[in-house]
Amino acid sequence: MTNETPRQPGWVYVVDDNADDRRAAAAALGADPRLIREFDDGAAFLQAIDALPPGCVILDVRMPGVDGLSVMETLSRRRIDWPVVMMSNQASIPIVVRAMQRGARHFVEKPCDPERLREAVAQARMQPVRAAPPREQAKPPLSKIVTPREMDVLRLLLAGRQNKSIAYALGISERTVEVHRARLMRRLQVRSFAELIRKAVEHGAHEDANNADARSMAM
């Protein structure tokens, strides 16, 4: 027998302190409005969660008080395995990495493109709820998928470095950095930078990103 159960369909919880963004996200889904609950901050959502049926959470990163990352930490600590789609209009690379590390399935930039948001929610819902969090399955090392130079670029991207800084650190041109980024996205079969980060986190590439950044600064 498996310890997985299907997700209950339909329920979506939009957690965002901006009322216009909440309404836009809810409208973009085109779902039954009776199955959508809106919360204006992370604390209100966490206070209500015990009475809510499982669903997909659309969660803003930057909110006053209990922000999106704090909500993710609480969900992880309480072993509430609901699919989460993070969104933000001012997300730095380290923030995206932290969100993915805490279990976010997808990351969508604001203003959210309706089609991309619907796709992110649909993909998040496809993953089943587990009765107990399993041990993380080992992913093949990215060194088996990408070239050593592409790996160098990826580590520095995960450390929050911009193309110009990466080019200087590795002694290559900015155009070459752009080429490596494009190849990384093709090799990992992703269409956005947020998806690239998510895939890298899944493979554990973030773990030595800070070390790579420190080494490059020492050069």
Side-chain angles (χ1 to χ4, degrees):
M1 295 181 61
T2 178
N3 65 340
E4 297 180 352
T5 58
R7 293 198 182 279
Q8 294 188 17
W11 282 102
V12 177
Y13 306 109
V14 183
V15 187
D16 193 326
D17 63 304
N18 186 299
D20 291 336
D21 288 342
R22 290 199 308 272
R23 286 193 289 267
L29 297 176
D32 186 339
R34 293 172 298 180
L35 298 179
I36 297 177
R37 289 277 304 274
E38 297 181 20
F39 296 88
D40 59 9
D41 62 56
F45 171 65
L46 292 175
Q47 289 171 2
I49 198 168
D50 288 337
L52 300 176
C56 183
V57 184
I58 300 176
L59 181 62
D60 188 29
V61 171
R62 299 178 183 274
M63 293 182 289
V66 180
D67 62 14
L69 292 176
S70 297
V71 171
M72 289 294 302
E73 290 173 354
T74 300
L75 294 178
S76 176
R77 185 170 62 251
R78 295 180 59 183
R79 298 192 174 187
I80 298 175
D81 184 31
W82 296 3
V84 175
V85 176
M86 303 288 282
M87 59 182 182
S88 178
N89 56 2
Q90 294 179 333
S92 66
I93 293 173
I95 286 178
V96 177
V97 172
R98 287 172 61 192
M100 297 303 180
Q101 286 179 282
R102 284 159 176 74
R105 301 289 194 262
H106 293 277
F107 200 104
V108 180
E109 294 180 349
K110 289 183 176 181
C112 298
D113 176 77
E115 182 177 351
R116 292 299 299 277
L117 182 59
R118 286 193 295 270
E119 181 180 333
V121 170
Q123 291 179 1
R125 281 174 166 167
M126 290 175 63
Q127 301 187 34
V129 171
R130 298 177 183 271
R135 291 183 63 86
E136 193 74 21
Q137 291 186 350
K139 297 283 186 179
L142 284 180
S143 59
K144 302 290 186 181
I145 303 173
V146 306
T147 68
R149 180 56 88 189
E150 289 166 354
M151 195 68 200
D152 290 340
V153 171
L154 179 58
R155 289 191 181 108
L156 291 174
L157 285 171
L158 291 175
R161 304 285 286 273
Q162 300 299 315
N163 286 0
K164 183 176 182 179
S165 176
I166 294 172
Y168 179 80
L170 298 180
I172 57 180
S173 68
E174 285 188 62
R175 174 56 185 163
T176 301
V177 174
E178 293 172 358
V179 169
H180 285 314
R181 286 181 62 158
R183 288 176 177 169
L184 280 165
M185 294 181 71
R186 286 198 300 271
R187 292 184 193 277
L188 298 178
Q189 299 179 342
V190 297
R191 294 182 299 171
S192 70
F193 188 56
E195 291 176 7
L196 175 64
I197 293 175
R198 176 174 60 84
K199 186 65 72 73
V201 170
E202 288 176 353
H203 286 264
H206 63 285
E207 293 176 354
D208 61 346
N210 292 333
N211 290 336
D213 191 43
R215 289 194 300 270
S216 69
M217 294 292 290
M219 291 180 179

